[in-house]
Amino acid sequence: MCVQIKCFHEIITIGYNVYHSYDLPWFRTLSWYFLLCVNYFFYGETVTDYFFTLVQREEPLRILSKYHRFISFTLYLIGFCMFVLSLVKKHYRLQFYMFGWTHVTLLIVVTQSHLVIHNLFEGMIWFIVPISCVICNDIMAYMFGFFFGRTPLIKLSPKKTWEGFIGGFFATVVFGLLLSYVMSGYRCFVCPVEYNNDTNSFTVDCEPSDLFRLQEYNIPGVIQSVIGWKTVRMYPFQIHSIALSTFASLIGPFGGFFASGFKRAFKIKDFANTIPGHGGIMDRFDCQYLMATFVNVYIASFIRGPNPSKLIQQFLTLRPDQQLHIFNTLRSHLIDKGMLTSATEDE
């Protein structure tokens, strides 16, 4: 949340510094108001999702949860109406520029930082490995470029070279494999965060899924002749880490190129001077936000399955007649599947 707010502040400040001479009314006030509305919506959704049972216990929270989207939309409409009322003759076009500026900033910063929270709840390994791969790629691309760089990569970043780009890719893939192997052996990293109704707290303890259990893989014949091994034992997550490392190395840097183009457009060196010698927080997180979005999409597409604990939580909040209907439907289904016998049904 702190990183998100600071990144938002840095980008909005650039817009304000560019257009402050026009004395646009309510620009900064509305920008921060829209940030509040979007955070209320996203974090409200997260609380309802992960604290479902707790929310249903407390009457005020249950009401807020039930009408959460309506409340969020109402708050946004208030800001929208305030913007329309703030329009000033001769500055209409500029004010709509800044309205778009604020919303694009919300999309880039707030939406993607919200996805980081979802990645964390899937297990710390889905947070640490991706950000570490981005950091590793940044360092190794610099080192390979410093020692071997000859061919310019892109005009937006004249110091970036193809040698650094390719060298960083291979180094990051190896780093991702090693880091994944180490972290996959610890439950505190691989277990998803779940809410314990009895203790009213989060727990990070589980029986690791097959994704984090050592398995034996056959090595292709061509590679066998080189290394002399027929099989190798590794975690399935390490295979997924190759995809994460590849994205961090080949696509992640384009987040940095995008930021470079943005800064060149406004003739500034850094987003801010928060970190001496490194610029602003946004200068450090330009690639991380893009990486977080990819990880969230990757988990939803290839990893995440139905969550029994969430289904049970929702089931327990239903009326008794609804629970009985679901029970009978499920029992009939299991009998048809042969998982329950008629004798069990009679009992």
Side-chain angles (χ1 to χ4, degrees):
M1 173 69 84
C2 293
V3 169
Q4 173 213 117
I5 291 175
K6 184 57 182 172
C7 290
F8 181 84
H9 172 259
E10 291 175 358
I11 298 178
I12 290 298
T13 300
I14 293 174
Y16 178 76
N17 291 336
V18 171
Y19 299 112
H20 74 282
S21 59
Y22 293 92
D23 193 27
L24 299 179
W26 297 0
F27 166 58
R28 287 194 294 184
T29 302
L30 284 174
S31 296
W32 287 103
Y33 177 80
F34 282 125
L35 175 67
L36 175 66
C37 292
V38 174
N39 271 304
Y40 175 81
F41 170 72
F42 279 130
Y43 283 96
E45 292 282 310
T46 302
V47 168
T48 302
D49 190 21
Y50 290 100
F51 289 91
F52 186 81
T53 304
L54 177 62
V55 168
Q56 294 301 316
R57 289 178 188 171
E58 304 293 335
E59 184 64 20
L61 292 178
R62 190 182 64 81
I63 295 174
L64 287 174
S65 173
K66 182 178 180 180
Y67 301 106
H68 172 69
R69 296 193 177 185
F70 181 80
I71 295 172
S72 300
F73 184 64
T74 302
L75 291 174
Y76 179 83
L77 284 180
I78 292 173
F80 179 81
C81 293
M82 290 172 62
F83 167 75
V84 174
L85 293 174
S86 71
L87 291 173
V88 178
K89 192 174 182 180
K90 296 182 180 180
H91 291 327
Y92 290 153
R93 180 179 296 181
L94 183 58
Q95 286 183 284
F96 277 102
Y97 283 161
M98 301 314 299
F99 185 77
W101 180 294
T102 300
H103 282 68
V104 171
T105 303
L106 291 172
L107 176 66
I108 293 175
V109 176
V110 182
T111 304
Q112 295 188 92
S113 65
H114 174 69
L115 298 180
V116 175
I117 304 298
H118 278 259
N119 297 343
L120 277 167
F121 277 100
E122 294 296 328
M124 285 292 290
I125 196 168
W126 292 105
F127 173 74
I128 296 177
V129 170
I131 66 170
S132 299
C133 286
V134 171
I135 295 171
C136 174
N137 181 70
D138 198 24
I139 295 172
M140 299 309 297
Y142 172 79
M143 294 184 66
F144 275 93
F146 182 83
F147 290 106
F148 309 106
R150 296 291 184 274
T151 312
L153 176 63
I154 187 170
K155 291 183 179 179
L156 283 173
S157 297
K159 294 183 179 180
K160 299 289 174 49
T161 64
W162 276 104
E163 290 80 5
F165 187 71
I166 296 172
F169 163 68
F170 286 106
T172 304
V173 170
V174 173
F175 171 80
L177 286 169
L178 296 175
L179 180 62
S180 300
Y181 181 83
V182 173
M183 296 188 66
S184 294
Y186 295 91
R187 292 189 179 188
C188 58
F189 291 130
V190 304
C191 288
V193 178
E194 294 184 352
Y195 185 72
N196 190 313
N197 296 321
D198 298 327
T199 61
N200 287 334
S201 62
F202 283 115
T203 58
V204 187
D205 187 24
C206 67
E207 190 64 30
S209 65
D210 292 338
L211 201 61
F212 304 105
R213 293 179 180 176
L214 282 171
Q215 297 185 22
E216 198 169 85
Y217 294 91
N218 293 321
I219 298 177
V222 178
I223 302 178
Q224 285 184 23
S225 59
V226 177
I227 63 176
W229 297 349
K230 292 184 178 181
T231 60
V232 62
R233 284 175 59 81
M234 60 186 300
Y235 294 100
F237 178 79
Q238 289 180 271
I239 299 175
H240 294 288
S241 75
I242 297 175
L244 301 179
S245 301
T246 300
F247 185 91
S249 305
L250 302 184
I251 308 299
F254 280 84
F257 300 153
F258 177 86
S260 296
F262 181 89
K263 289 182 285 187
R264 285 176 178 272
F266 292 95
K267 297 180 174 59
I268 56 177
K269 184 177 183 295
D270 299 308
F271 282 97
N273 57 358
T274 308
I275 308 174
H278 291 273
I281 300 296
M282 193 64 200
D283 291 287
R284 298 297 92 199
F285 281 81
D286 48 10
C287 300
Q288 296 288 4
Y289 281 132
L290 188 62
M291 186 70 197
T293 304
F294 171 74
V295 172
N296 189 268
V297 172
Y298 189 88
I299 292 174
S301 301
F302 304 108
I303 305 299
R304 185 187 295 130
N307 191 325
S309 62
K310 289 184 180 180
L311 291 176
I312 293 174
Q313 287 180 5
Q314 294 179 349
F315 176 79
L316 294 175
T317 60
L318 298 176
R319 299 194 310 269
D321 60 309
Q322 293 175 323
Q323 293 178 359
L324 186 60
H325 173 70
I326 293 176
F327 170 76
N328 290 328
T329 302
L330 180 61
R331 184 175 62 178
S332 299
H333 175 74
L334 294 176
I335 291 174
D336 292 340
K337 288 283 188 178
M339 300 180 68
L340 287 179
T341 63
S342 299
T344 305
E345 182 182 12
D346 295 336
E347 292 175 5

